[in-house]
PDB file of all heavy atoms in Angstrom:
ATOM      1  N   CYS A  76     138.768 182.997  63.747  1.00  0.00           N
ATOM      2  CA  CYS A  76     137.456 182.650  63.728  1.00  0.00           C
ATOM      3  C   CYS A  76     137.004 182.189  65.149  1.00  0.00           C
ATOM      4  O   CYS A  76     137.616 181.284  65.749  1.00  0.00           O
ATOM      5  CB  CYS A  76     137.136 181.589  62.751  1.00  0.00           C
ATOM      6  SG  CYS A  76     135.308 181.184  62.543  1.00  0.00           S
ATOM      7  N   LYS A  82     146.191 180.676  63.872  1.00  0.00           N
ATOM      8  CA  LYS A  82     146.037 179.475  63.075  1.00  0.00           C
ATOM      9  C   LYS A  82     146.112 178.154  63.839  1.00  0.00           C
ATOM     10  O   LYS A  82     147.073 177.889  64.487  1.00  0.00           O
ATOM     11  CB  LYS A  82     147.015 179.466  61.852  1.00  0.00           C
ATOM     12  CG  LYS A  82     146.688 178.312  60.858  1.00  0.00           C
ATOM     13  CD  LYS A  82     147.690 178.546  59.678  1.00  0.00           C
ATOM     14  CE  LYS A  82     147.554 177.444  58.661  1.00  0.00           C
ATOM     15  NZ  LYS A  82     148.438 177.529  57.460  1.00  0.00           N
ATOM     16  N   HIS A  92     153.159 155.023  60.191  1.00  0.00           N
ATOM     17  CA  HIS A  92     154.384 154.444  60.851  1.00  0.00           C
ATOM     18  C   HIS A  92     153.963 153.806  62.091  1.00  0.00           C
ATOM     19  O   HIS A  92     154.702 153.069  62.733  1.00  0.00           O
ATOM     20  CB  HIS A  92     155.381 155.522  61.122  1.00  0.00           C
ATOM     21  CG  HIS A  92     155.951 156.126  59.848  1.00  0.00           C
ATOM     22  ND1 HIS A  92     156.753 155.371  58.977  1.00  0.00           N
ATOM     23  CD2 HIS A  92     155.842 157.366  59.240  1.00  0.00           C
ATOM     24  CE1 HIS A  92     157.094 156.153  57.936  1.00  0.00           C
ATOM     25  NE2 HIS A  92     156.469 157.337  58.143  1.00  0.00           N
ATOM     26  N   ASP A 317     100.030 163.764  86.383  1.00  0.00           N
ATOM     27  CA  ASP A 317     100.925 163.859  87.633  1.00  0.00           C
ATOM     28  C   ASP A 317     102.342 163.418  87.289  1.00  0.00           C
ATOM     29  O   ASP A 317     103.232 163.486  88.202  1.00  0.00           O
ATOM     30  CB  ASP A 317     100.391 162.984  88.707  1.00  0.00           C
ATOM     31  CG  ASP A 317      99.126 163.423  89.232  1.00  0.00           C
ATOM     32  OD1 ASP A 317      98.756 164.670  89.079  1.00  0.00           O
ATOM     33  OD2 ASP A 317      98.308 162.569  89.801  1.00  0.00           O
ATOM     34  N   PRO A 320     107.831 165.074  82.401  1.00  0.00           N
ATOM     35  CA  PRO A 320     109.381 164.793  82.029  1.00  0.00           C
ATOM     36  C   PRO A 320     110.185 165.499  82.981  1.00  0.00           C
ATOM     37  O   PRO A 320     110.005 166.562  83.415  1.00  0.00           O
ATOM     38  CB  PRO A 320     109.457 165.251  80.661  1.00  0.00           C
ATOM     39  CG  PRO A 320     108.231 166.055  80.274  1.00  0.00           C
ATOM     40  CD  PRO A 320     107.212 165.797  81.315  1.00  0.00           C
ATOM     41  N   GLU A 333     104.232 163.202  69.206  1.00  0.00           N
ATOM     42  CA  GLU A 333     105.112 162.202  68.711  1.00  0.00           C
ATOM     43  C   GLU A 333     105.896 161.595  69.834  1.00  0.00           C
ATOM     44  O   GLU A 333     106.139 160.360  69.955  1.00  0.00           O
ATOM     45  CB  GLU A 333     106.145 162.876  67.761  1.00  0.00           C
ATOM     46  CG  GLU A 333     105.632 163.251  66.414  1.00  0.00           C
ATOM     47  CD  GLU A 333     105.702 162.213  65.473  1.00  0.00           C
ATOM     48  OE1 GLU A 333     105.007 161.135  65.547  1.00  0.00           O
ATOM     49  OE2 GLU A 333     106.525 162.418  64.471  1.00  0.00           O
ATOM     50  N   ILE A 375     129.329 161.119  58.459  1.00  0.00           N
ATOM     51  CA  ILE A 375     130.089 161.790  59.401  1.00  0.00           C
ATOM     52  C   ILE A 375     129.280 162.358  60.538  1.00  0.00           C
ATOM     53  O   ILE A 375     128.477 163.214  60.413  1.00  0.00           O
ATOM     54  CB  ILE A 375     130.953 162.942  58.657  1.00  0.00           C
ATOM     55  CG1 ILE A 375     131.714 162.390  57.512  1.00  0.00           C
ATOM     56  CG2 ILE A 375     131.833 163.666  59.715  1.00  0.00           C
ATOM     57  CD1 ILE A 375     132.117 163.474  56.561  1.00  0.00           C
ATOM     58  N   ALA A 438     144.179 180.630  71.896  1.00  0.00           N
ATOM     59  CA  ALA A 438     143.496 179.368  71.983  1.00  0.00           C
ATOM     60  C   ALA A 438     144.245 178.362  71.101  1.00  0.00           C
ATOM     61  O   ALA A 438     144.817 178.668  70.177  1.00  0.00           O
ATOM     62  CB  ALA A 438     142.028 179.443  71.410  1.00  0.00           C
ATOM     63  N   GLU A 445     151.609 164.836  69.265  1.00  0.00           N
ATOM     64  CA  GLU A 445     152.723 165.834  69.284  1.00  0.00           C
ATOM     65  C   GLU A 445     153.601 165.685  70.649  1.00  0.00           C
ATOM     66  O   GLU A 445     154.748 166.210  70.730  1.00  0.00           O
ATOM     67  CB  GLU A 445     152.223 167.235  69.265  1.00  0.00           C
ATOM     68  CG  GLU A 445     151.359 167.654  68.177  1.00  0.00           C
ATOM     69  CD  GLU A 445     150.901 169.037  68.098  1.00  0.00           C
ATOM     70  OE1 GLU A 445     151.452 169.892  68.755  1.00  0.00           O
ATOM     71  OE2 GLU A 445     149.856 169.341  67.426  1.00  0.00           O
TER      72      GLU A 445
END
Side-chain angles (χ1 to χ4, degrees):
C76 184
K82 184 177 180 180
H92 294 293
D317 294 337
E333 288 272 69
I375 300 160
E445 296 181 28

